[in-house]
Amino acid sequence: MSCTTHDDDYWDYDTPSEWQKHFPSAAGLCQSPIDINTHRTIARHYPPFVFSDKYHSNELFKLINSGFQVTATLAEHTYGQSEKDLWFIGSGLPGRFYFVNFHLHWGRNDRHGSEHEIDGHRYPAEAHVVFKNHESDQIAVFAYLFFVTNQTQKGNKEWEKYCDAASQLTTINDTIQCMFNLSQLMQANERQFYRYTGSLTTPPCTEGVVWTIFTSKIAIKEESLNKLRQNVMRKVYRPVQPLNDRIVFRNY
Ligand SMILES: [Zn+2]
């Protein structure tokens, strides 16, 4: 996920091992993403997520090409919509977490693209939906892994829309507005996940981020990913970092 703007001159996705020269946190012991070894995860009970009403309706978002990814934030001054109305509580996280942005990570081809790996397996893309508790400044990120559809399967319509809109943003700072339904984008009925504490996956790679990686994969058409690869950026992901002595939990 990304929350940075002014530090952007000092890093790129071709040399992630150099990030620590300008961003010392990148060399920390609790970095993200990681490879999740499912046999070593520990089962734990978490209370359910509760999402606000606005989460289920169509809202207007603004997509921007930041030079590192295409980030969607809630569009301003429209229909009285506000980040204050998009939130969740529950799932063992203290307090109310407000929506910040969503974005996608992808790779040059279908063999790469996800940031997290499951048992050493990479996926062609990974979506992040970023939330923040404004009282504690705690950041929580939901991560979704993708698979490329075959001819008989349909892709997720919301992510197809994202790829279509994002692929028009060929130059840094280009923006476009588009309606999205967060609950469909996030497959809200999905409830199985992995949970661990890591970091932002872009500089400054600040630690203390709570990650929730959902186990169910989202379908996407190859054509949608190709539009991003050809028109926006070729690769947008950080490789996996050492787990060290952290524990990854699962809620099932
Ligand atoms: Zn991200």
Side-chain angles (χ1 to χ4, degrees):
M1 67 141 298
S2 173
C3 286
T4 59
T5 47
H6 57 282
D7 296 327
D8 291 352
D9 293 342
Y10 299 108
W11 68 279
D12 62 48
Y13 277 114
D14 291 326
T15 54
S17 57
E18 314 263 294
W19 293 359
Q20 54 188 274
K21 286 184 190 165
H22 291 280
F23 308 98
S25 294
L29 296 176
C30 300
Q31 289 288 293
S32 294
I34 56 166
D35 175 25
I36 295 171
N37 180 332
T38 56
H39 296 293
R40 295 213 181 134
T41 58
I42 293 176
R44 193 187 224 188
H45 176 76
Y46 292 96
F49 286 105
V50 177
F51 292 97
S52 64
D53 290 343
K54 283 261 185 174
Y55 177 83
H56 300 279
S57 56
N58 291 316
E59 303 292 332
L60 189 65
F61 289 82
K62 182 175 92 172
L63 276 60
I64 182 163
N65 177 340
S66 72
F68 300 100
Q69 52 208 189
V70 176
T71 304
T73 53
L74 211 54
E76 290 152 25
H77 311 306
T78 333
Y79 315 131
Q81 65 178 7
S82 159
E83 276 94 352
K84 287 194 182 115
D85 299 324
L86 274 175
W87 49 260
F88 77 85
I89 55 173
S91 180
L93 292 168
R96 196 172 293 247
F97 283 79
Y98 292 93
F99 173 80
V100 179
N101 75 57
F102 69 82
H103 58 269
L104 193 68
H105 296 269
W106 66 87
R108 287 193 180 94
N109 56 51
D110 294 347
R111 293 195 301 276
H112 315 262
S114 68
E115 298 211 297
H116 288 87
E117 298 177 13
I118 308 288
D119 294 325
H121 186 81
R122 295 165 170 171
Y123 296 83
E126 177 171 335
H128 292 159
V129 186
V130 182
F131 294 89
K132 187 171 184 176
N133 179 326
H134 294 305
E135 284 176 8
S136 62
D137 283 339
Q138 171 83 62
I139 290 174
V141 186
F142 293 176
Y144 301 86
L145 299 162
F146 285 71
F147 69 94
V148 168
T149 59
N150 59 34
Q151 280 127 349
T152 56
Q153 294 165 304
K154 285 183 182 155
N156 177 300
K157 286 278 170 224
E158 298 301 302
W159 285 106
E160 207 169 295
K161 229 169 22 179
Y162 170 91
C163 294
D164 287 344
S167 63
Q168 297 175 49
L169 310 179
T170 53
T171 307
I172 293 176
N173 292 329
D174 278 356
T175 67
I176 192 170
Q177 296 202 343
C178 191
M179 302 287 284
F180 290 100
N181 181 308
L182 269 193
S183 71
Q184 287 168 22
L185 187 107
M186 293 167 55
Q187 302 195 159
N189 50 355
E190 168 58 33
R191 284 290 177 270
Q192 283 195 358
F193 60 77
Y194 302 107
R195 169 71 56 81
Y196 79 101
T197 303
S199 72
L200 305 181
T201 65
T202 54
C205 301
T206 313
E207 296 185 340
V209 174
V210 178
W211 283 89
T212 304
I213 296 113
F214 290 89
T215 61
S216 165
K217 314 296 182 294
I218 297 178
I220 195 161
K221 287 186 197 164
E222 170 125 56
E223 176 193 331
S224 294
L225 289 176
N226 282 341
K227 281 181 192 168
L228 296 174
R229 292 167 180 148
Q230 287 157 12
N231 298 310
V232 192
M233 290 155 241
R234 291 177 62 73
K235 87 174 210 185
V236 190
Y237 67 91
R238 185 187 196 191
V240 292
Q241 305 297 308
L243 180 64
N244 298 317
D245 50 10
R246 287 176 285 176
I247 295 171
V248 180
F249 296 96
R250 65 174 193 276
N251 76 330
Y252 60 94

